[in-house]
Amino acid sequence: MAQVLFMALPFSTEPRKIAPSSSSKPLNLPRRSRSTNVSIPKGGGNDSVKTQKLNLEVSPHRAVSAVRLMRIELGGAFADLLNEKGKGSGENEMGYVQRTLGFRTRELNHHDLRLVTDIVGGTIRWRRYLDHLISSLCHDKDISSMEPLLLQILRIGFYEIVKLDMPPYAVVDENVKLAKVALRPGAGNMVNGILRKLVVLKENETLPLPRVEGDDRAQARALATLYSHPVWMVRRWTKYLGQEEAIKLMIWNNQEPSFSLRLVNVSSLFLANHAKGFSRDDLVTQLNALKVPHSLSLHLDEFVRVKTGLQIVIHDGLLKKGLCSVQDESAGLVVSVVDPQRGETIIDCCAAPGGKTLYMASHLSGHGKVFAVDVNSGRLRILKETAKLHQVDGVITVIHADLRTLTDSGQLKSNKVLLDTPCSGLGVLSKRADLRWNRKLEDMEELKKLQDELLDAASKLVKPGGVLVYSTCSIDPEENDDRVAAFLVRHPDFHVDPVDRYVPPDFVTSSGFFFSNPVKHSLDGSFAARLVRAL
């Protein structure tokens, strides 16, 4: 799969492959607190009681959000709260608060968790915009040296006031409390003064925002602040899309993402023993019972779109039971381009953690084989576990190897090969809120070199007359069309097979490739090309 720094929903989803993120670590920060000592029993089979500090005045979702934002920015955590079981994440997060700030608040309920998700995701997306406002209202315009926790508290307050339209003075009061307890009284006074300035400016509609004027560079800087993206992305999209479409794309990236649930294909699970499977109608019934807003996919029969309420679905156990998985429809359409059929052998070259692998395997109806190749053994382990849960492990064989050396033996070949290559992930920025700040312009050249190397290696696995599908979760033409064009120059024995037989015409480009446009299709940005080897 296209390896991106995904928003890390760690259940069976389609986490795109970009660069792997570092593991989350508790941060060693000053622990100043006015909290009250109380005794909280700890589990573990004994009667010992560990004294912890509990503060019932501090807003729990704000304390958790502030610590999680620091972990994301400084410690490499992901931008959501869901663990692989879908439960207990509130306790996990409160543990980080305890270790980082030295106190606990009351436990988080489902409403608190939803607020944390909204605030953390939104604060990250709007970071550049928020920092511009903060620096405009601070005496010291350079906020880069500000205490990490203080900066995150200010970002949360600014986001809640400017973007969430929460009652302003309640926001001021709650964030001042957090700053005073977690840092010191002076920090609370500073937060109070800055947030009150913001409230006045917002009420008077006089926020200090830049104008889009001047030369191209000046306009790009202004747009980067107004729509909170790196300048290099704004300039790149303006170059390829034009300013109007670039703005639409940034607006899309800043919206709360929607997700799709893929019904686990019941053919391989139940047809063998003639049992009745779990249908899409059954899934819709479950969603209705859970009061989760949803709509049927316009393009794929196994998919249902969920705009809000994904945590409710996970907590209900639908994923844990193997009845459905989280996967974007754009990933499903890439599988449509592969067109897996019963009895076929398919090689998935960069497979883990396996969203497309599993979907392809479900199409084989228990007959055929998917060889799942990946360099990451940990992600392959997740793939194997999920394959067993989905009962398609009988048709999936994992191979732990670097594709670039695996092909030297020449033993593994197939008529269908999928290369869902590591990429920039520029098509999934709505889901991966922090990715825009982690991706650099310099990364693009390194990624293109890697993509060329992997394409060359994958081509060696294709039998004469077979097809190689090259796909990314990027919207950048240099990773998509340009890589295919360069490959065809190096490999004249391959030619493009138009995808119009496999996906709806709205997704077919003039070059015969598959492309999902986030703005146009309301899906993740994705690309795929079918390349056929001559007989």
Side-chain angles (χ1 to χ4, degrees):
M1 308 309 118
Q3 190 173 19
V4 310
L5 293 168
F6 181 64
M7 195 166 102
L9 295 168
F11 34 79
S12 177
T13 135
E14 183 67 7
R16 316 292 191 141
K17 290 178 234 155
I18 305 183
S21 64
S22 58
S23 59
S24 306
K25 302 174 184 176
L27 306 177
N28 296 318
L29 297 171
R31 296 183 178 182
R32 300 184 178 91
S33 174
R34 289 180 161 186
S35 308
T36 304
N37 285 329
V38 291
S39 295
I40 300 178
K42 302 293 289 183
N46 57 53
D47 297 327
S48 64
V49 174
K50 184 175 180 180
T51 299
Q52 297 184 352
K53 295 178 180 179
L54 177 67
N55 189 297
L56 298 177
E57 295 183 358
V58 171
S59 166
H61 75 261
R62 290 184 176 91
V64 168
S65 295
V67 171
R68 173 150 272 259
L69 285 166
M70 287 195 299
R71 291 176 55 218
I72 291 167
E73 191 164 337
L74 304 177
F78 290 116
D80 80 1
L81 281 174
L82 301 172
N83 63 14
E84 59 188 27
K85 295 181 180 179
K87 294 185 178 180
S89 55
E91 175 62 28
N92 294 342
E93 293 299 318
M94 197 55 67
Y96 279 111
V97 171
Q98 167 72 30
R99 291 191 292 275
T100 304
L101 304 183
F103 66 88
R104 300 173 71 90
T105 72
R106 68 166 173 79
E107 297 302 329
L108 292 95
N109 56 36
H110 291 318
H111 177 66
D112 293 323
L113 287 172
R114 179 62 194 172
L115 279 173
V116 172
T117 301
D118 291 346
I119 289 171
V120 169
T123 301
I124 293 172
R125 288 186 189 92
W126 289 100
R127 191 178 83 185
R128 186 184 183 96
Y129 176 91
L130 299 173
D131 285 357
H132 171 83
L133 292 178
I134 293 170
S135 63
S136 299
L137 300 184
C138 283
H139 292 300
D140 185 355
K141 303 302 181 186
D142 181 10
I143 62 173
S144 61
S145 59
M146 186 179 289
E147 291 173 90
L149 178 57
L150 179 57
L151 178 57
Q152 301 303 344
I153 292 172
L154 284 171
R155 285 172 174 168
I156 290 170
F158 272 59
Y159 178 70
E160 290 177 325
I161 291 170
V162 176
K163 293 298 180 182
L164 292 185
D165 288 322
M166 288 185 174
Y169 290 102
V171 171
V172 173
D173 183 59
E174 292 294 333
N175 284 288
V176 167
K177 284 181 185 176
L178 176 58
K180 285 183 175 180
V181 172
L183 291 168
R184 58 196 171 277
N189 295 336
M190 179 181 176
V191 170
N192 181 65
I194 294 174
L195 290 182
R196 286 182 182 275
K197 287 182 186 177
L198 176 68
V199 171
V200 172
L201 291 173
K202 184 173 185 290
E203 288 177 348
N204 295 330
E205 299 183 352
T206 55
L207 293 176
L209 296 172
R211 296 174 179 271
V212 182
E213 57 189 13
D215 61 17
D216 291 346
R217 288 177 179 272
Q219 290 189 37
R221 286 193 297 269
L223 289 170
T225 297
L226 292 171
Y227 297 99
S228 198
H229 281 71
V231 175
W232 75 265
M233 287 187 189
V234 178
R235 297 191 67 192
R236 196 174 185 89
W237 293 336
T238 301
K239 170 186 174 183
Y240 285 119
L241 305 174
Q243 189 177 99
E244 183 178 351
E245 290 301 314
I247 290 173
K248 290 179 182 178
L249 177 60
M250 290 187 285
I251 291 173
W252 166 264
N253 291 339
N254 287 333
Q255 293 175 352
E256 282 293 314
S258 61
F259 295 89
S260 290
L261 297 174
R262 176 177 69 82
L263 182 72
V264 171
N265 193 314
V266 298
S267 59
S268 59
L269 300 183
F270 302 103
L271 290 186
N273 59 11
H274 305 290
K276 184 179 185 298
F278 187 76
S279 68
R280 187 164 73 166
D281 288 343
D282 295 326
L283 177 58
V284 167
T285 299
Q286 285 283 95
L287 295 175
N288 286 332
L290 295 171
K291 298 182 179 179
V292 173
H294 60 276
S295 60
L296 300 182
S297 168
L298 300 176
H299 315 295
L300 296 164
D301 291 340
E302 299 100 326
F303 285 73
V304 177
R305 293 190 184 188
V306 175
K307 180 62 178 176
T308 61
L310 182 61
Q311 288 179 331
I312 297 173
V313 174
I314 296 163
H315 291 159
D316 193 61
L318 293 179
L319 280 72
K320 187 178 179 181
K321 295 173 186 175
L323 299 175
C324 62
S325 62
V326 178
Q327 188 169 36
D328 195 77
E329 291 164 76
S330 63
L333 289 165
V334 169
V335 171
S336 296
V337 172
V338 178
D339 189 34
Q341 298 292 323
R342 177 187 172 99
E344 290 185 330
T345 296
I346 303 169
I347 302 173
D348 190 351
C349 294
C350 296
K356 295 184 181 72
T357 308
L358 296 165
Y359 191 27
M360 290 190 295
S362 72
H363 282 72
L364 303 184
S365 301
H367 299 275
K369 182 68 68 175
V370 178
F371 289 97
V373 181
D374 203 272
V375 73
N376 190 311
S377 59
R379 291 159 71 89
L380 280 176
R381 184 174 62 253
I382 295 172
L383 193 160
K384 290 178 67 175
E385 293 171 356
T386 311
K388 187 174 182 180
L389 178 67
H390 290 186
Q391 299 185 31
V392 292
D393 50 316
V395 296
I396 294 177
T397 297
V398 301
I399 300 175
H400 179 216
D402 186 324
L403 178 68
R404 292 168 293 184
T405 57
L406 172 70
T407 54
D408 293 341
S409 66
Q411 296 180 353
L412 185 64
K413 287 186 179 294
S414 175
N415 283 318
K416 283 188 178 176
V417 176
L418 170 63
L419 174 61
D420 193 24
T421 183
C423 69
S424 66
L426 294 181
V428 296
L429 295 184
S430 69
K431 286 190 173 71
R432 269 308 307 269
D434 52 335
L435 179 56
R436 69 186 71 179
W437 310 121
N438 296 330
R439 181 60 68 217
K440 307 299 181 186
L441 177 60
E442 309 85 74
D443 298 339
M444 301 302 288
E445 291 304 318
E446 296 179 11
L447 283 167
K448 289 190 293 183
K449 181 176 181 293
L450 174 61
Q451 289 156 359
D452 287 342
E453 291 174 356
L454 292 173
L455 263 170
D456 291 342
S459 69
K460 298 177 183 178
L461 304 177
V462 183
K463 292 181 178 180
V467 61
L468 167 62
V469 174
Y470 170 77
S471 69
T472 75
C473 58
S474 176
I475 58 172
D476 196 285
E478 294 186 19
E479 294 186 274
N480 297 337
D481 304 61
D482 290 2
R483 300 279 56 76
V484 172
F487 172 81
L488 293 175
V489 171
R490 297 192 305 274
H491 299 270
D493 55 328
F494 280 82
H495 67 270
V496 174
D497 179 26
V499 302
D500 53 349
R501 291 177 292 163
Y502 308 100
V503 296
D506 198 38
F507 292 95
V508 182
T509 72
S510 58
S511 299
F513 304 141
F514 162 78
F515 182 69
S516 58
N517 183 315
V519 175
K520 180 180 180 181
H521 300 115
S522 298
L523 302 176
D524 287 347
S526 194
F527 171 89
R530 282 180 62 96
L531 306 170
V532 175
R533 187 169 200 166
L535 291 170

